[in-house]
Amino acid sequence: MIRINGQLIQGNQLDALSVSNKQRPILKSMAGNQTVYDFYTQDELLFELTVRANTTQASYDLLQSGVGFADFDHSTCNQAIWTLTREGGFLLKSSVTPQRGIDDIFRNGNLYSFECAVAIIIIFYKATLDSIGAASFNQLFRGLYLFSWRYDEDLHLISHSGSEFLPGDCVYFNNPEFNPETPEWRGENTIVMEYDLYFGHGIGIAPGADIIKSLNEQRRPGARLSAYLENRITHPEYRYLRN
């Protein structure tokens, strides 16, 4: 359900909203869920739809970019743009703008390899860049450092429990009995693309059952517990980004 300034929006009001073809399914999912999505203004709703649509597009673009999957010990980057740290993180060079640093990952993907948490942060940065523009992005995200779930505080990610996922949400497939020899498969951070279709770095775009099957193939010998999708949702705080 969608509520703007305390009023439920439905029917003809939803149809009258000027949204793109990529945003329309997200809007319909919001309207059809039992979760109440509260907005102060229509523009605030439209901004969230924009960022969510850009998040799914960034996920697809990262898949097509040629980036590789690697644990932190084997991460790689374009060292003309980033400094590769001892822990396997990427520190943006002071002479490079944040916009150029993020865009280079998508343009020169063959020079990069990293694990799934880094991929999610990169996707959120790219979606934010494409939503607010280079000038604002460069002002907000100076000194970018990419490593696991570390991110600039201005990205302002929030997490909460829930099972009504929307495109653009990050959700986690947990693998409780992963093989300790391959700890990178302890779980998979994914972006919801549409209903029961997820992007996971190293797996691709697949239904939830296929992601669970892939993770189950990476369990320790004798494991009995299946991988599963957690009821936890992570995404930027859209109102904060817009303001």
Side-chain angles (χ1 to χ4, degrees):
M1 293 182 282
I2 299 172
R3 196 160 53 193
I4 298 179
N5 196 26
Q7 300 294 316
L8 283 177
I9 305 300
Q10 50 194 343
N12 292 337
Q13 292 172 298
L14 289 173
D15 294 337
L17 289 175
S18 180
V19 297
S20 70
N21 290 336
K22 291 181 180 179
Q23 295 169 355
R24 180 66 63 182
I26 306 172
L27 181 66
K28 288 184 176 180
S29 293
M30 281 183 171
N33 285 350
Q34 292 302 304
T35 302
V36 178
Y37 304 95
D38 269 309
F39 302 93
Y40 293 133
T41 65
Q42 180 177 303
D43 285 345
E44 192 176 278
L45 165 62
L46 295 176
F47 179 78
E48 178 168 332
L49 293 175
T50 296
V51 182
R52 286 185 175 277
N54 285 340
T55 302
T56 59
Q57 184 62 50
S59 302
Y60 179 79
D61 291 342
L62 192 68
L63 177 64
Q64 298 297 312
S65 69
V67 299
F69 180 89
D71 59 23
F72 294 115
D73 290 335
H74 300 93
S75 295
T76 61
C77 63
N78 182 354
Q79 296 194 50
I81 302 290
W82 304 87
T83 297
L84 181 64
T85 67
R86 290 183 178 181
E87 61 184 351
F90 308 155
L91 177 64
L92 189 67
K93 292 183 180 292
S94 59
S95 59
V96 179
T97 64
Q99 170 263 322
R100 184 184 170 202
I102 293 300
D103 279 344
D104 189 73
I105 299 170
F106 291 82
R107 291 173 180 167
N108 296 299
N110 61 305
L111 300 178
Y112 293 85
S113 54
F114 40 78
E115 56 82 75
C116 65
V118 175
I120 298 298
I121 298 301
I122 290 169
I123 287 168
F124 281 144
Y125 276 135
K126 177 62 171 170
T128 301
L129 168 60
D130 291 343
S131 300
I132 68 175
S136 295
F137 187 84
N138 289 336
Q139 182 178 0
L140 283 174
F141 299 110
R142 297 169 184 167
L144 278 183
Y145 182 57
L146 303 176
F147 179 75
S148 190
W149 278 100
R150 295 187 197 175
Y151 54 87
D152 189 293
E153 64 180 9
D154 283 314
L155 190 57
H156 222 273
L157 297 184
I158 57 174
S159 294
H160 55 89
S161 60
S163 58
E164 291 190 314
F165 308 140
L166 293 173
D169 284 336
C170 171
V171 296
Y172 186 67
F173 288 82
N174 190 20
N175 192 12
E177 293 190 329
F178 67 93
N179 191 328
E181 295 184 1
T182 54
E184 63 270 23
W185 294 112
R186 69 177 62 240
E188 183 74 8
N189 293 286
T190 67
I191 295 293
V192 180
M193 302 295 284
E194 55 184 79
Y195 175 74
D196 196 34
L197 200 62
Y198 309 85
F199 166 76
H201 181 52
I203 291 179
I205 297 175
D210 289 357
I211 294 176
I212 289 172
K213 180 180 178 182
S214 294
L215 291 174
N216 283 343
E217 292 170 353
Q218 303 294 333
R219 289 179 296 175
R220 62 175 174 79
R224 295 184 178 181
L225 293 178
S226 172
Y228 63 94
L229 175 59
E230 292 186 345
N231 288 335
R232 190 131 193 98
I233 300 168
T234 301
H235 55 72
E237 187 174 8
Y238 302 104
R239 180 174 294 153
Y240 175 89
L241 277 181
R242 179 173 179 269
N243 290 338

